[in-house]
Amino acid sequence: STLFLSSTMDTIDESTPSTSPSEPIGETQTIYRDLLTFLRSPRPDLRKAAAEATLATLVSSTSLSSDDGPSGNNREAARQLTSHDVIPPLCKIASALSPDDHGSIEALAALNVLCSDDSMGNQCVLDFLEARGVGRMLEIALSSPPSTPVTQENENSKKEWKSWRQQVNYACALLANATRTEKGAVEFIGRAFPEEAIPSSMVKRDRGLEEEEEEKGDEPHNKNESLFKKEIKPTATLLLSRFLNPALIDTTSPAYQASLKTFRNSNGAKPDNEFDEYDSDLENDGKHKDADKNYQDLQPQKVEPMGEEYYDPYQHVAAVIMNITQLEMGRDFLMKLIHSGKKQNGQQQQPKPSLTAQDDSNNANSKETSTSHLQSLLPQLTSPNLHRRQGTAGTLKNCCFSQDSLWWLLHVVHIDKTLLMTLAGPEELTIDEKIGLDPDYWLLGPQKVREPDALVRLYVVEALLLLLASGRRARETLRERRMYVIIKLADMVEENEEVSERMLECVQYLRRDEEGEEEGSSDRRAYERYARGMMASMGVKSVDADDGIKALPPSENSATDGGKVERVGDDDYDNID
């Protein structure tokens, strides 16, 4: 059987690029049908050999001859396999519990190649969803890791952990490709696990609401919403907990150490003779080059895990979360408050120092603390893993579309600070620029690293642009927090044209005068806000704006030209002032 499959693969390679379409095409069709028969065989050894032959057919016929991507050989092999409905048997082989014995890893790799193909990828994703691939991949992604710890002497444990990480990495990549479609995202959020996985409290609450509606004779306002509530599964929460668990990352891997070194040593540009992983210049990316110029359109990214390191098995979960937050139900899941009902550290939580009286009223003492999944994702924006940073940045951008949560994002989550920290660099700030600016932006000094990846910076700036475009109150808040200082310095060193254009749009929102406001009032409002916070921290009960507040006043130059700071080579860099 193995010899036959090997000869099958060689015959496919020889017959696929043939120029005479008569006899070779008929022979090729027969070979693909035989390959499908072996994939559906009840014998595990035949299924494994067929999965290996399928993967070898796809990979061996891939040749990067030019910048156009895979040549026609790979597309023809993908087209033939898709037309012969090879996705369902590959999904069954991939869901095997013992990957070494049944060819699970080879089947997962073949599925990833098919679902990320440029020409047949969308059809393969639909076939994957029809074959209930989301549920199968979730079972793999949530499988228990090997119980044997990794040691230098135990080679078997190393092999087990390597196989498990590779299998989970492929499964998460398939979930990322499947959730690019609305159907896949909905299935991932609500229809992946059986009803037994639903918490008992949630089932009772939903059934109680259903009985109450039946007694009143009222129909649900939204049948889809009612269905989603009754069928919601905790799979997204479970997968997110795995994604946030650092113990599952192989920190001893040379690839992890290399990515960490590259991220820490980067100053916003691609290092010389370093790794090309962070070189995502959008000018060379055809997908973004021909993309819609509307900044609100977030194009889901195809995941191609072939040939990459899998020291971080859950790295592609970031792309899954980014994809599901394109739907309202996905954003609701991520931003839903989780109340603990307990005091922090056994004591009542103290309010954070605030700079306005409104913040003081909102930071009143509370016996219970609350958080959200979105807040737990924020530290991932500084991860050394590029996939995690890109997915998290795209997720934050998607969450900024939620108009009802903008106040919470700005005043509770402080999403603007998280986003701006990725754009802050090692530049030394003047005294005037530091007034009213959060010290975290400049305390690290020359050690502060600006985000090196252009796609991450694009997502971040587009998220800030969404906040600025949401309304006047949001713009006033961001002006008072001196967002303009960080954007200006980042734009001065930005090399990507598309990112720079988005920054210029942010500057236009920040520097323009609102209706009914006097010219150049934004800087003065920032000084007053900072002074009120200083006096409030010193015990002053109230401060009148007309009394002439003076706390770290601007210098003579900034006082005379409306807050503009003289900087070498910085004469009206945005052509606005």
Side-chain angles (χ1 to χ4, degrees):
S1 302
T2 304
L3 291 175
F4 174 78
L5 289 172
S6 178
S7 62
T8 297
M9 182 189 67
D10 296 337
T11 307
I12 291 175
D13 292 339
E14 295 175 359
S15 59
T16 299
S18 177
T19 56
S20 56
S22 56
E23 181 177 355
I25 288 182
E27 182 182 357
T28 302
Q29 295 286 344
T30 303
I31 294 174
Y32 277 110
R33 285 195 296 267
D34 293 340
L35 182 61
L36 180 62
T37 303
F38 281 101
L39 287 173
R40 295 174 176 174
S41 173
R43 293 177 52 183
D45 56 337
L46 290 183
R47 293 198 303 268
K48 179 180 180 181
E52 293 175 350
T54 304
L55 177 61
T57 301
L58 290 168
V59 175
S60 62
S61 58
T62 302
S63 60
L64 299 177
S65 57
S66 63
D67 295 337
D68 296 335
S71 63
N73 295 339
N74 183 34
R75 293 176 181 175
E76 178 62 22
R79 188 185 67 81
Q80 289 285 352
L81 290 170
T82 305
S83 62
H84 284 81
D85 199 19
V86 76
I87 299 294
L90 283 177
C91 287
K92 293 182 180 180
I93 298 174
S95 58
L97 298 178
S98 53
D100 291 338
D101 298 334
H102 298 86
S104 175
I105 292 179
E106 290 78 9
L108 287 169
L111 286 171
N112 275 288
V113 174
L114 290 171
C115 291
S116 59
D117 184 74
D118 293 335
S119 59
M120 302 302 300
N122 293 334
Q123 182 60 44
C124 291
V125 168
L126 293 178
D127 295 342
F128 176 78
L129 295 176
E130 291 294 332
R132 300 180 180 180
V134 172
R136 296 176 185 272
M137 295 306 108
L138 280 170
E139 292 179 0
I140 297 176
L142 296 176
S143 62
S144 300
S147 57
T148 307
V150 180
T151 58
Q152 295 293 337
E153 296 79 9
N154 194 344
E155 294 295 334
N156 292 331
S157 64
K158 291 183 180 180
K159 185 177 180 180
E160 290 178 2
W161 276 94
K162 180 179 178 180
S163 299
W164 178 80
R165 286 194 175 99
Q166 189 174 9
Q167 193 178 19
V168 171
N169 184 64
Y170 283 148
C172 293
L174 279 170
L175 288 174
N177 285 320
T179 51
R180 289 188 291 109
T181 63
E182 182 177 359
K183 180 180 179 181
V186 172
E187 185 173 352
F188 172 81
I189 296 173
R191 302 183 181 181
F193 273 10
E195 188 176 356
E196 288 76 9
I198 305 177
S200 57
S201 59
M202 185 179 299
V203 175
K204 292 179 180 178
R205 183 174 67 251
D206 292 340
R207 290 177 179 174
L209 291 174
E210 186 177 356
E211 293 175 357
E212 184 178 352
E213 291 178 355
E214 291 179 355
E215 292 177 359
K216 294 182 179 180
D218 298 335
E219 295 183 358
H221 297 288
N222 190 340
K223 293 184 178 180
N224 293 332
E225 183 179 357
S226 176
L227 180 65
F228 172 73
K229 287 182 178 179
K230 287 187 291 186
E231 294 187 357
I232 187 171
K233 312 301 187 298
T235 53
T237 304
L238 295 174
L239 194 61
L240 188 61
S241 64
R242 294 286 186 96
F243 173 72
L244 298 175
N245 187 0
L248 299 176
I249 303 176
D250 184 12
T251 56
T252 61
S253 171
Y256 174 82
Q257 298 296 334
S259 63
L260 184 62
K261 180 181 178 182
T262 303
F263 179 70
R264 289 179 176 177
N265 294 341
S266 176
N267 289 321
K270 179 178 179 292
D272 300 334
N273 301 328
E274 282 290 348
F275 306 91
D276 293 335
E277 180 184 6
Y278 293 98
D279 186 10
S280 61
D281 191 352
L282 301 184
E283 295 179 358
N284 297 327
D285 191 349
K287 185 184 302 181
H288 292 274
K289 186 177 181 180
D290 300 331
D292 187 1
K293 296 300 182 181
N294 187 353
Y295 70 87
Q296 295 184 356
D297 289 341
L298 176 61
Q299 298 295 331
Q301 304 297 307
K302 291 184 179 179
V303 177
E304 301 177 5
M306 290 297 297
E308 70 179 7
E309 294 289 342
Y310 39 86
Y311 63 89
D312 188 355
Y314 292 98
Q315 56 187 347
H316 296 301
V317 176
V320 176
I321 302 299
M322 179 183 69
N323 292 338
I324 66 173
T325 50
Q326 294 182 99
L327 303 179
E328 185 177 358
M329 64 174 64
R331 294 193 291 270
D332 292 342
F333 157 75
L334 208 61
M335 294 188 288
K336 182 179 179 181
L337 293 180
I338 304 173
H339 300 281
S340 63
K342 298 180 180 179
K343 303 176 183 179
Q344 289 188 349
N345 299 327
Q347 299 179 356
Q348 190 171 353
Q349 183 183 7
Q350 297 297 327
K352 296 181 179 180
S354 58
L355 299 178
T356 62
Q358 182 179 359
D359 290 340
D360 285 334
S361 62
N362 294 325
N363 287 334
N365 294 343
S366 177
K367 292 184 179 180
E368 69 175 12
T369 60
S370 61
T371 183
S372 63
H373 294 305
L374 177 64
Q375 291 168 283
S376 64
L377 280 177
L378 298 181
Q380 299 300 320
L381 205 55
T382 58
S383 170
N385 188 294
L386 177 61
H387 298 292
R388 287 176 175 259
R389 298 202 311 277
Q390 287 183 347
T392 303
T395 300
L396 296 181
K397 174 190 170 180
N398 288 343
C399 291
C400 291
F401 281 98
S402 181
Q403 294 289 330
D404 297 336
S405 304
L406 286 176
W407 189 94
W408 177 75
L409 290 173
L410 285 173
H411 297 278
V412 178
V413 180
H414 296 284
I415 192 173
D416 56 305
K417 179 180 178 180
T418 303
L419 296 170
L420 289 173
M421 284 295 291
T422 63
L423 301 178
E427 295 85 5
E428 183 178 357
L429 303 182
T430 64
I431 295 297
D432 298 313
E433 291 170 335
K434 292 179 181 179
I435 296 176
L437 190 65
D438 195 309
D440 291 340
Y441 293 122
W442 47 270
L443 280 179
L444 290 178
Q447 298 180 357
K448 180 67 177 71
V449 177
R450 181 175 284 109
E451 171 57 49
D453 183 68
L455 183 58
V456 176
R457 297 196 303 273
L458 178 64
Y459 286 158
V460 166
V461 177
E462 287 178 343
L464 294 170
L465 194 55
L466 286 171
L467 295 175
L468 289 168
S470 61
R472 178 172 177 174
R473 296 294 297 272
R475 289 192 293 272
E476 291 177 351
T477 300
L478 295 174
R479 289 190 188 109
E480 292 172 356
R481 296 177 182 177
R482 305 300 304 279
M483 171 182 168
Y484 172 72
V485 174
I486 305 298
I487 293 293
K488 179 181 68 173
L489 295 177
D491 189 25
M492 293 174 63
V493 296
E494 180 58 52
E495 297 180 355
N496 185 271
E497 183 178 355
E498 188 172 355
V499 177
S500 183
E501 290 177 358
R502 298 294 183 266
M503 289 182 176
L504 181 58
E505 294 181 37
C506 291
V507 170
Q508 291 173 350
Y509 272 113
L510 290 168
R511 302 300 289 176
R512 76 181 187 185
D513 296 327
E514 298 288 350
E515 183 179 357
E517 294 287 340
E518 61 180 356
E519 184 178 355
S521 60
S522 59
D523 289 332
R524 179 176 55 82
R525 290 171 62 90
Y527 298 142
E528 293 177 356
R529 178 178 180 272
Y530 182 81
R532 285 194 182 92
M534 291 290 293
M535 293 184 176
S537 64
M538 296 171 60
V540 180
K541 295 183 179 180
S542 63
V543 181
D544 190 356
D546 298 331
D547 293 341
I549 301 174
K550 295 181 180 180
L552 286 181
S555 63
E556 296 179 358
N557 294 334
S558 61
T560 57
D561 60 4
K564 180 181 176 183
V565 178
E566 294 293 337
R567 185 186 293 271
V568 178
D570 185 25
D571 295 335
D572 193 15
Y573 91 105
D574 52 13
N575 296 322
I576 295 178
D577 297 337

